[in-house]
Amino acid sequence: MFDFSTVIDRHGTWCTQWDYVADRFGDADLLPFTISDMDFATAPCILDALSKRLSHGVFGYSRWKNDEFLPAIAHWYAHRFHAVIDTNTLVYGPSVIYMVAEMIRQWSAPGDGIVVHTPAYDAFFKTIEGNQRRVVGVPMDKQDGQWFCNMDKLEAALAEPQNTVLLLCSPQNPTGKVWTRDELETMAALCEKHNVRVISDEIHMDMTWQGHAHIPWSEVARGEWALFTSGSKSFNIPAFTGAYGMIVGNSAREAYLTALKNRDGLSSPSVPALVAHIAAYEHGETWLD
């Protein structure tokens, strides 16, 4: 049904992966296995939806809170993860990392510790330290080729009064660890016990091997939490920008949206991102699988 064999030359397209590898490593003649995008074209249903939208010819300011985007997200969670979400908790942002950074600013103070499982995505370190917070690493254990969280070590970190946020990566980057429901429920209980808020980055939620089911944090959460994600990795559309998530608690959600709109002027979404997400979540599962 789909063409995954034709090689697409990405050189000369301002492509970070191929055109700018020398910027990162000082040598252009390298195979760049370092950027999380694909060399496959995105799903045909996305290309068709974008083509239709482009033919309209007008690309003005828009709104993410509309009657197509929010239901598409709810449909994806129900169909893909058997999870019912409250669309009233949904928010939009230009990227997952922007959204993570904003909630770190809201839920912690300079000098506070942000707890992270290590090894960790390098942007976590940059975002935490760039906002004058401290990275509190909890090393994961590897047993028989599988990665695990030492819950005693995690609790010791969460129990420190200055460690106010757990920044969870689910599935975990870079290990590929898919957290089990029992592990997530244990982490949720520990965070509630020590009054630690949770920010869950779930941008890789759609890509797990058979036998490993992703459990959204919304299914196990307690207390105050936020979940941020995007179809950018799974459907190869990061160039459009655009992410979304859930923030429970009206005050936290309103504070985030106020910062997005009034402080940063980012409330008008990327229309191609909305179109791509709607098409992906309604018609793209077969291509993704």
Side-chain angles (χ1 to χ4, degrees):
M1 295 175 63
F2 305 107
D3 179 7
F4 295 111
S5 300
T6 299
V7 176
I8 300 174
D9 185 2
R10 299 181 64 193
H11 290 95
T13 61
W14 315 317
C15 169
T16 297
Q17 180 160 251
W18 293 99
D19 288 334
Y20 299 105
V21 65
D23 289 357
R24 301 188 74 189
F25 301 104
D27 187 347
D29 190 24
L30 298 172
L31 293 177
F33 297 129
T34 59
I35 302 295
S36 51
D37 64 13
M38 312 177 207
D39 293 327
F40 294 119
T42 192
C45 65
I46 294 176
L47 295 175
D48 290 345
L50 288 168
S51 178
K52 182 178 179 181
R53 181 63 183 84
L54 288 171
S55 69
H56 182 262
V58 180
F59 312 106
Y61 295 108
S62 188
R63 298 288 179 93
W64 58 270
K65 191 178 286 189
N66 62 60
D67 292 337
E68 292 181 77
F69 184 54
L70 303 189
I73 295 170
H75 167 77
W76 190 250
Y77 271 79
H79 187 70
R80 191 88 176 166
F81 307 120
H82 309 292
V84 177
I85 65 169
D86 180 358
T87 56
N88 292 316
T89 68
L90 287 173
V91 296
Y92 177 85
S95 72
V96 166
I97 288 298
Y98 167 87
M99 301 172 89
V100 167
E102 180 53 35
M103 294 315 296
I104 285 175
R105 288 190 287 270
Q106 290 192 26
W107 280 349
S108 63
D112 281 0
I114 310 298
V115 179
V116 176
H117 293 97
T118 57
Y121 176 37
D122 63 343
F124 280 10
F125 291 90
K126 295 173 183 175
T127 298
I128 293 167
E129 293 168 352
N131 283 285
Q132 295 79 52
R133 276 68 169 171
R134 296 178 295 107
V135 176
V136 179
V138 176
M140 296 176 67
D141 297 332
K142 194 174 186 181
Q143 303 169 13
D144 300 323
Q146 301 295 317
W147 292 91
F148 299 92
C149 170
N150 184 314
M151 295 298 177
D152 291 334
K153 293 179 183 177
L154 177 63
E155 181 166 19
L158 297 174
E160 291 292 329
Q162 277 197 306
N163 297 342
T164 54
V165 172
L166 170 64
L167 177 51
L168 178 66
C169 195
S170 179
Q172 211 272 341
N173 180 9
T175 65
K177 164 74 174 180
V178 180
W179 302 105
T180 66
R181 182 178 289 273
D182 286 346
E183 289 171 322
L184 292 170
E185 288 178 344
T186 298
M187 286 190 273
L190 291 175
C191 288
E192 181 183 47
K193 176 181 176 181
H194 297 289
N195 197 31
V196 172
R197 296 178 172 102
V198 177
I199 303 170
S200 187
D201 173 351
E202 304 191 8
I203 200 168
H204 292 102
M205 65 186 187
D206 296 322
M207 295 182 286
T208 60
W209 295 114
Q210 280 188 328
H212 298 273
H214 172 73
I215 308 295
W217 184 256
S218 56
E219 292 292 283
V220 302
R222 307 180 185 189
E224 290 190 271
W225 57 273
L227 182 166
F228 299 132
T229 190
S230 173
S232 61
K233 305 293 187 189
S234 41
F235 289 95
N236 204 29
I237 52 173
F240 295 145
T241 71
Y244 66 91
M246 297 169 244
I247 302 175
V248 297
N250 291 337
S251 60
R253 187 166 57 255
E254 288 306 315
Y256 167 83
L257 292 173
T258 297
L260 181 79
K261 181 176 182 178
N262 296 348
R263 188 194 66 203
D264 297 334
L266 294 171
S267 59
S268 186
S270 161
V271 169
L274 299 187
V275 171
H277 274 86
I278 293 164
Y281 286 174
E282 291 184 348
H283 307 293
E285 186 172 42
T286 303
W287 177 90
L288 180 61
D289 288 339

